[in-house]
Amino acid sequence: MRRFKILHRTYYNFPDTVQLGPHTLRLRPKEGHELRIESSSLDITPAATLRWHSDVEDNSVAIATFDTPTRQLVIASEIIIQQFNEAPLDFLVDAYAANYPFAYEAEDRIVLAPYLLTVTRQASDPLAKWVASLWRAGEPIQTYALLQRLCVHINQSFTYLAREQPGVQMPADTLARGTGSCRDFANLFIEAARHLGLAARFVSGYLYAEPSAANYGSTHAWADVFLPGAGWKGFDPTVGKIVGTDHTAVAVARLPESVPPVAGSFVGPPGASLDVGVWVTELK
């Protein structure tokens, strides 16, 4: 078991006094047999009333509402977690799904349908052509090996580029540019997996990295794929590896734009500035 402290601070500074609308916060990690929350605190200035609920994906969501006008909004989340996913490759895929291609069982397809949705693509479509270059029909391959091939290929063939702009690139744009952020690479992986008939979803969370002068951890994004017998397994095309204890999942969704860490509104003059700081440290 490994223990991590995650500090996530969000600062909104406004040019004049504003009235804050409700803000949706997705900052609490998803708990399960692989992750437990040891302690958590959420400090917000100005004072907010919090209402917690679980959304349709069972993500933990807090709705913050405000009465006090302000020129600054500060949201500080501090969480200590226990990570148990130290052997991410220790899983078994059901025999019928061990080799690709396979078909999900009928009952599973009903539940997985939203994560299988993709546009119908012609053979000349950039994504279809790209996937065809990685696997040709008739090639014998294990399902996990195919997904890992896709994950590693994105890591080795594309250049990571941090993007401050909101939103996610379409797969065709990432393929054309050869660059992208973690959320762009995750989206490309998801669309490729769905094109192959595999159920995939977007994951947002945190990544631990060895501390350096420029890196204390960060918000991060990757993909989950549902493998019968193993469940949802994470693949991180940004680093080219299966997801393990360095990854802390906060929220999952069918669409990448559905799970920003903080989203909200205000009434007042335009021109707000945003600063975010994230520190992920391992505790001994």
Side-chain angles (χ1 to χ4, degrees), residues 69-232:
T70 187
R71 295 191 63 164
Q72 184 184 59
L73 170 61
V74 180
I75 302 169
S77 169
E78 182 174 318
I79 297 175
I80 296 177
I81 63 166
Q82 301 173 359
Q83 268 277 18
F84 295 87
N85 187 22
E86 295 183 89
L89 291 173
D90 185 16
F91 64 87
L92 291 175
V93 178
D94 284 344
Y96 81 90
N99 295 310
Y100 182 84
F102 71 92
Y104 290 109
E105 293 183 344
E107 191 67 21
D108 287 344
R109 286 193 68 86
I110 295 173
V111 179
L112 296 173
Y115 311 103
L116 289 162
L117 288 175
T118 188
V119 299
T120 302
R121 300 181 185 276
Q122 302 296 324
S124 59
D125 180 273
L127 180 70
K129 291 177 65 176
W130 181 69
V131 172
S133 73
L134 298 176
W135 180 80
R136 296 192 179 279
E139 176 194 352
I141 192 169
Q142 291 185 336
T143 303
Y144 168 77
L146 176 59
L147 289 166
Q148 187 63 3
R149 177 188 293 181
L150 177 62
C151 183
V152 170
H153 184 80
I154 293 174
N155 168 257
Q156 295 181 348
S157 303
F158 294 81
T159 300
Y160 176 80
L161 181 66
R163 291 195 304 109
E164 299 299 329
Q165 306 94 326
V168 180
Q169 288 179 175
M170 297 296 291
D173 293 332
T174 302
L175 290 171
R177 295 171 182 171
T179 63
S181 66
C182 59
R183 61 188 186 275
D184 302 323
F185 293 160
N187 193 39
L188 175 61
F189 182 98
I190 289 166
E191 287 300 314
R194 290 175 180 172
H195 181 72
L196 290 164
L198 301 172
R201 66 187 184 184
F202 184 85
V203 188
S204 67
Y206 302 102
L207 178 66
Y208 169 76
E210 287 295 330
S212 68
N215 190 357
Y216 294 92
S218 64
T219 56
H220 197 54
W222 58 94
D224 273 352
V225 177
F226 187 80
L227 298 176
W232 290 102

